[in-house]
C-alpha cells in the first residue's frame, strides 16, 4: 500500500486549493497516467484520492455502540492522508520505485511536488488455527 501524505510543514508549495485550474488538471492527469501504466503492467489493484481534513471526522463507539464524533473537521491540521494505491509488485523494491515516481507528481508551475509516499506491505490474514 502506497500512502500519499500531505504535510504543510514539510512542503515548499501552497495547498492545492490555491493552484490554477491548469495546475490541478496537470496533477490529476499525471495520477491518471500513473494508474493506467500500473494497470497495463499488471500492478494496479486500486487507488483513491481522499477528501481533505475539512471533510474528515474521528468517530468512536459511544454508549450502546452509538457513534460519537470527537474531532473534525480538522481545519488546522498540518498533515493528512491525501490518497493511496494498492499495488501488486514482484518485489518490495518495485513498490519503492513506484512510490518515487508518484512523488514526482507536478504541482504549481509544473514543478515536481516530491511529496512523501509511505510504502507499507499489505499483510495476509492470520493462519486458520489462530
Amino acid at each position: 500500500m502506497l500512502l500519499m501524505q500531505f504535510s504543510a510543514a514539510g512542503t515548499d508549495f501552497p495547498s492545492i486549493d490555491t493552484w490554477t485550474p491548469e495546475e490541478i488538471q496537470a496533477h490529476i492527469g499525471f495520477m491518471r497516467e500513473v494508474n493506467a501504466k500500473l494497470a497495463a503492467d499488471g500492478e494496479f489493484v486500486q487507488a483513491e484520492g481522499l477528501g481533505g481534513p475539512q471533510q474528515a471526522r474521528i468517530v468512536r463507539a459511544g454508549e450502546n455502540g452509538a457513534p460519537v464524533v470527537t474531532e473534525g473537521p480538522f481545519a488546522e491540521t498540518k498533515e493528512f492522508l491525501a490518497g493511496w494505491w494498492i499495488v501488486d509488485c514482484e518485489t518490495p523494491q518495485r513498490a519503492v520505485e513506484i512510490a518515487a515516481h508518484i512523488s514526482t507528481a507536478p504541482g504549481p508551475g509544473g514543478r515536481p511536488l516530491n511529496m512523501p509516499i509511505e510504502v507499507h506491505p499489505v499483510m495476509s490474514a492470520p493462519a486458520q488455527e489462530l
Side-chain angles (χ1 to χ4, degrees):
M1 178 175 244
L2 311 178
L3 302 173
M4 177 182 276
Q5 298 285 346
F6 175 81
S7 172
T11 61
D12 61 354
F13 57 86
S15 65
I16 198 167
D17 60 341
T18 66
W19 299 6
T20 67
E22 294 78 17
E23 291 167 339
I24 293 170
Q25 290 171 357
H27 182 78
I28 292 171
F30 175 89
M31 295 302 177
R32 287 185 177 139
E33 289 174 15
V34 165
N35 294 348
K37 173 83 167 86
L38 290 170
D41 292 345
E43 296 174 315
F44 182 86
V45 176
Q46 189 173 22
E48 294 293 337
L50 300 175
Q54 66 278 12
Q55 298 169 306
R57 308 288 183 272
I58 292 179
V59 179
R60 298 177 201 269
E63 190 172 324
N64 297 321
V68 176
V69 179
T70 57
E71 295 185 35
F74 308 103
E76 288 124 26
T77 297
K78 304 245 187 302
E79 189 173 292
F80 64 91
L81 183 61
W84 52 269
W85 291 258
I86 296 187
V87 294
D88 184 10
C89 304
E90 290 292 324
T91 66
Q93 180 57 32
R94 176 63 184 139
V96 168
E97 291 168 1
I98 295 168
H101 179 64
I102 291 170
S103 179
T104 68
R111 290 182 312 276
L113 294 176
N114 295 322
M115 288 178 64
I117 308 294
E118 292 182 21
V119 179
H120 293 263
V122 176
M123 307 306 288
S124 61
Q128 289 288 349
E129 52 275 358
L130 295 179

